Amino acid sequence: MPDDIQPFDRTAVRRHRDRAAAGWAAHDFLQVELADRLADRLDDIRRPFERVVDLSCRDGLLSRRLASRAGRGLFVQSDPSPAFTRRAAEGGRPALVADEDLLPFAAGSFDLVLSLLSLHWVNDLPGCLLQIRRCLRPDGLFLGAMLGGETLAALREAFLAAELETTGGAAPRVSPMADLRDAAGLLQRAGFALPVADLDTVEVSYPDPLALLRELRGMGETNALRERPRNALRRDTLMEALASYQQACALPDGRVRASFQVLWLAGWGPDDSQQKPLRPGSAQARLADALGGVERPADSPPSPGRSFE
């Protein structure tokens, strides 16, 4: 992709993850929480998955969490970060360095593709989803979670207002993120069968705003925009932003709240065995009968009581 249509510096994304790998255990709370929620979703699906790939393995958390589901089948781990893949490989399952913008897997390779908190850094999300669908076997499942557009909205607003106040302008510091409608549309566009998108909100608290910033650094989730400023943030801008965030998000005990919006994406590789929508006009029952109403032509005058048009 040309640089002018790549919002993210993927080298910076990888570098941030490499830096986070060393102290990951102190900052993996969101990954752990969402891994548990992902496992709960998989528990609702009563079928085995023999060939699995985790596209954002970090330290191998999903491999450990889903060990009973994967059994003795193939479980491949991948991550853009060499430091994380080395850690993931220590668990005994294969791990490789791979960028989500250019997946190295052959068509029909897996019957389960997982991605946890990684797709919001992808430059070509429609293309990435298309590649994921391509590497699924027929009737294989994709299940992923990514940060949505309302994540840390109050923190982003505080920094924007502070920079406008102290410098008279605003540098690129806020990553573009998909919303729920975008996510659902992209699943359909990529050709998934039975696509579903829904959202969770994870609410946490910190002793102060600086603790939140240290957490984001430890998670590898700091600014990786291609056009981000390379110079350090001015001290007066930082202090103004932190004070504003403290005022807006303070809790009764003096801590500050933070909200992470998580978009869940699910879709299946198309297969003839899957449910299909009925042909229009093929219904065998009338809605008016089911609801006890009176069906009236669209051009008839209104009448008292319940009617359906």
Side-chain angles (χ1 to χ4, degrees), residues 52-57 62-63 75-79 114-116:
V52 183
V53 61
D54 176 7
L55 299 181
S56 47
C57 64
L62 280 182
S63 174
F75 196 115
V76 177
Q77 304 173 97
S78 73
D79 198 279
L114 304 171
S115 177
L116 200 56

Side-chain angles (χ1 to χ4, degrees), residues 162-177:
E163 200 158 24
L164 288 172
E165 176 68 24
T166 57
T167 69
R173 300 187 187 279
V174 178
S175 299
M177 294 184 185

Side-chain angles (χ1 to χ4, degrees), residues 17-308:
R17 287 202 185 185
D18 282 342
R19 182 179 61 199
W24 181 241
H27 303 285
D28 65 352
F29 83 94
L30 189 58
Q31 197 85 6
V32 171
E33 173 66 24
L34 296 182
D36 288 342
R37 298 189 188 190
L38 183 147
D40 288 342
R41 289 171 181 247
L42 281 178
D43 285 342
D44 294 333
I45 302 172
R46 301 298 181 184
R47 57 169 289 183
F49 296 104
E50 298 297 331
R51 297 178 63 87
V52 183
V53 61
D54 176 7
L55 299 181
S56 47
C57 64
R58 305 302 203 286
D59 66 342
L61 173 63
L62 280 182
S63 174
R64 299 190 299 273
R65 183 66 178 79
L66 302 178
S68 61
R69 289 299 305 267
R72 296 181 179 274
L74 177 66
F75 196 115
V76 177
Q77 304 173 97
S78 73
D79 198 279
S81 162
F84 268 132
T85 54
R86 284 193 293 270
R87 293 194 57 182
E90 293 172 359
R93 294 189 185 272
L96 67 148
V97 177
D99 193 300
E100 297 95 338
D101 276 322
L102 191 60
L103 296 178
F105 306 115
S109 297
F110 302 101
D111 51 17
L112 177 61
V113 176
L114 304 171
S115 177
L116 200 56
L117 292 186
S118 184
L119 295 183
H120 55 278
W121 288 120
V122 170
N123 277 317
D124 181 13
L125 184 54
C128 178
L129 291 175
L130 185 62
Q131 292 180 72
I132 290 172
R133 199 266 298 161
R134 179 178 175 273
C135 72
L136 279 174
R137 291 177 169 181
D139 205 34
L141 173 64
F142 163 60
L143 181 58
M146 59 186 288
L147 294 180
E150 293 303 312
T151 296
L152 299 177
L155 181 65
R156 292 151 59 190
E157 292 170 3
F159 269 94
L160 176 61
E163 200 158 24
L164 288 172
E165 176 68 24
T166 57
T167 69
R173 300 187 187 279
V174 178
S175 299
M177 294 184 185
D179 62 20
L180 186 61
R181 180 177 296 181
D182 294 334
L186 289 174
L187 286 171
Q188 291 180 316
R189 176 178 170 183
F192 285 99
L194 309 174
V196 176
D198 63 293
L199 62 85
D200 280 343
T201 301
V202 180
E203 297 277 354
V204 294
S205 67
Y206 292 92
D208 53 64
L210 270 177
L212 170 56
L213 297 186
R214 287 192 292 268
E215 182 89 280
L216 294 176
R217 180 182 175 88
M219 293 166 65
E221 296 291 337
T222 48
N223 190 358
L225 288 170
R226 183 173 295 276
E227 300 302 326
R228 69 193 183 281
R230 298 310 200 264
N231 55 311
L233 185 67
R234 284 175 38 164
R235 180 178 177 81
D236 58 342
T237 302
L238 176 62
M239 293 298 103
E240 176 70 21
L242 295 181
S244 176
Y245 187 76
Q246 179 76 48
Q247 182 177 11
C249 298
L251 297 171
D253 61 359
R255 296 171 67 88
V256 294
R257 59 176 174 82
S259 298
F260 295 88
Q261 184 188 64
V262 181
L263 304 182
W264 288 97
L265 311 178
W268 296 82
D271 187 70
D272 291 339
S273 66
Q274 294 163 343
Q275 300 174 17
K276 302 292 191 300
L278 295 175
R279 179 175 52 82
S282 62
Q284 301 299 310
R286 297 166 63 247
L287 180 61
D289 292 340
L291 298 180
V294 177
E295 186 175 8
R296 302 174 61 85
D299 57 354
S300 63
S303 62
R306 181 187 296 167
S307 67
F308 299 91

